[in-house]
Amino acid sequence: MDNLQSHKKEMVGIAVAVAAIGVGTAYYLYLSKNTKSKRCLDPETFKEFKLVERTELSHNVAKFRFALPTPDSVLGLPIGQHMSCRGKDAKGEDVMKAYTPTTLDSDVGYFELVIKMYPQGRMSHHFREMREGDYLSVKGPKGRFKYQPGKVRAFGMIAGGTGITPMFQVARAILENSSDKTKVHLIYANVTYDDILLKEELDSFAHKFPDQFSIYYVLNEPPKEWSGGVGFVSAKMIQDHCPEPASDIQMLRCGPPPMNKAMAAHLESLGYTSQMQFQF
Ligand SMILES: Cc1cc2nc3c(=O)[nH]c(=O)nc-3n(C[C@H](O)[C@H](O)[C@H](O)COP(=O)(O)OP(=O)(O)OC[C@H]3O[C@@H](n4cnc5c(N)ncnc54)[C@H](O)[C@@H]3O)c2cc1C
Ligand SMILES: *[C@@H]1O[C@H](CO)[C@@H](O)[C@H](O)[C@H]1NC(C)=O
Ligand SMILES: CC(=O)N[C@H]1CO[C@H](CO)[C@@H](O)[C@@H]1O
């Protein structure tokens, strides 16, 4: 009797243990499947993504939406990092350039690139020729920048032309997280008014988050009515529109090489140390 009882108990115990292991394993598989299969980028090999929608934003700028393999996939790109896109130039030769999506991993099932296509640009040619249904080769993530909420009190950002895309991504991540109080002060330089990318989105950030986000546009060739800056970004503009040098702020730069060089010199002259700066 006693033996039988304890035997029964033992059997129940084993059954419970087996069930627990089964549930645990299933849960583990479920978790790992859901985290692994959802991330699509691979730093070692190019992956192909299908262009599902192309929207012209101006005569030489278009927004490209690419589908991820499943509707619940996420790209898996850390905020502020970029990826390498590979294509063919006008001569049919391989070309590879860096791009930062304007979307985040909170956008599930797709990612978007906003691309400015230069008449003589090599990768520009590839994007100009891309049609819905075509595939783009992408590898990543790339880049040293890693955004962590609360690491700095404020960002100053100086962008030129398409250099806006990494800034946009960081700003979006901050502003869409209501518990992230980091401030963002952006200076955005371009040649003409029509060159300004993502203007509607940027203006809506400034409107929705007036205490957290500010933007100052600078144009080489401003329209007649213009309240922003004129010419190149000057040290005075940085002083007036960005946080003062301090150990808990960071200045981010992304623009064409001559502009980055000029901005680095301005920042140094204003007393920003190299630890307070980052170039994408
Ligand atoms: C981190 C990072 C993120 C980027 N994200 C984006 C993005 O989201 N969208 C995007 O469109 N680009 C982005 N770029 C720029 C992109 O990598 C390419 O430099 C750009 O698309 C031009 O490549 P291309 O091969 O067409 O031109 P190239 O063959 O390299 O250049 C051809 C001609 O275009 C001119 N040109 C090239 N780049 C510029 C420029 N920036 N300003 C003015 N003239 C230029 C050159 O003077 C040259 O005459 C990013 C760059 C970096 C470093
Ligand atoms: C939002 O911000 C808080 C506080 O800064 C941070 O702890 C949290 O990880 C952020 N959430 C996301 C999704 O990044
Ligand atoms: C794409 C584009 O127009 N880029 C320009 C925007 O303005 C900055 C600053 O004037 C230039 O350096 C970029 O080349």
Side-chain angles (χ1 to χ4, degrees):
M1 183 77 176
D2 263 12
N3 257 340
L4 203 70
Q5 278 283 352
S6 76
H7 185 66
K8 247 186 178 172
K9 264 190 200 154
E10 210 175 290
M11 291 300 282
V12 168
I14 290 171
V16 166
V18 167
I21 290 170
V23 168
T25 309
Y27 186 60
Y28 174 75
L29 287 176
Y30 166 81
L31 274 185
S32 57
K33 181 168 171 276
N34 268 277
T35 44
K36 275 197 194 113
S37 74
K38 275 181 164 180
R39 305 180 133 252
C40 302
L41 279 184
D42 185 325
E44 306 301 332
T45 45
F46 278 97
K47 297 274 172 114
E48 306 262 311
F49 296 97
K50 187 179 183 180
L51 177 62
V52 290
E53 195 181 335
R54 172 176 174 143
T55 314
E56 305 306 312
L57 301 179
S58 76
H59 71 286
N60 60 358
V61 178
K63 184 165 82 182
F64 296 78
R65 177 184 283 223
F66 295 90
L68 296 174
T70 65
D72 64 346
S73 304
V74 297
L75 184 62
L77 188 77
I79 293 155
Q81 295 204 2
H82 57 272
M83 40 200 214
S84 287
C85 298
R86 188 175 64 186
K88 299 247 185 256
D89 68 8
K91 292 184 194 144
E93 285 168 14
D94 271 353
V95 49
M96 216 165 77
K97 290 285 157 78
Y99 296 91
T100 306
T102 51
T103 42
L104 299 168
D105 279 354
S106 53
D107 300 299
V108 177
Y110 68 96
F111 70 92
E112 285 180 351
L113 297 177
V114 171
I115 305 284
K116 178 148 192 165
M117 289 158 283
Y118 304 95
Q120 303 301 320
R122 294 181 63 208
M123 192 65 195
S124 294
H125 172 82
H126 187 88
F127 281 114
R128 203 160 33 237
E129 298 296 308
M130 274 198 94
R131 297 293 172 264
E132 288 171 11
D134 291 348
Y135 284 78
L136 180 70
S137 297
V138 179
K139 196 165 84 171
K142 305 237 158 178
R144 293 168 294 127
F145 186 79
K146 185 109 182 66
Y147 178 66
Q148 285 169 321
K151 220 178 137 206
V152 298
R153 169 173 50 86
F155 283 113
M157 300 179 169
I158 309 177
T162 56
I164 192 65
T165 57
M167 310 293 191
F168 180 78
Q169 219 201 32
V170 174
R172 222 195 112 184
I174 292 171
L175 299 173
E176 284 182 3
N177 181 350
S178 56
S179 47
D180 189 337
K181 303 296 177 205
T182 311
K183 290 197 190 315
V184 176
H185 303 272
L186 171 64
I187 297 180
Y188 184 18
N190 281 281
V191 179
T192 70
Y193 186 86
D194 291 331
D195 290 327
I196 302 173
L197 298 183
L198 300 164
K199 186 164 190 304
E200 229 173 272
E201 290 85 346
L202 293 166
D203 289 345
S204 107
F205 286 165
H207 183 73
K208 272 198 227 155
F209 307 99
D211 301 326
Q212 206 182 354
F213 178 83
S214 70
I215 180 150
Y216 185 66
Y217 296 103
V218 179
L219 294 176
N220 292 122
E221 298 165 17
K224 276 205 188 91
E225 302 269 311
W226 180 243
S227 56
V230 175
F232 290 120
V233 176
S234 64
K236 173 86 168 52
M237 290 177 194
I238 297 173
Q239 215 167 17
D240 290 348
H241 299 278
C242 288
E244 281 176 19
S247 57
D248 59 352
I249 67 103
Q250 197 171 32
M251 297 295 297
L252 309 179
R253 312 187 302 255
C254 192
M259 178 180 174
N260 286 336
K261 216 175 146 205
M263 294 309 116
H266 286 332
L267 291 172
E268 200 192 326
S269 76
L270 291 169
Y272 296 90
T273 64
S274 54
Q275 287 92 328
M276 296 174 204
Q277 301 182 42
F278 183 85
Q279 185 173 305
F280 283 101

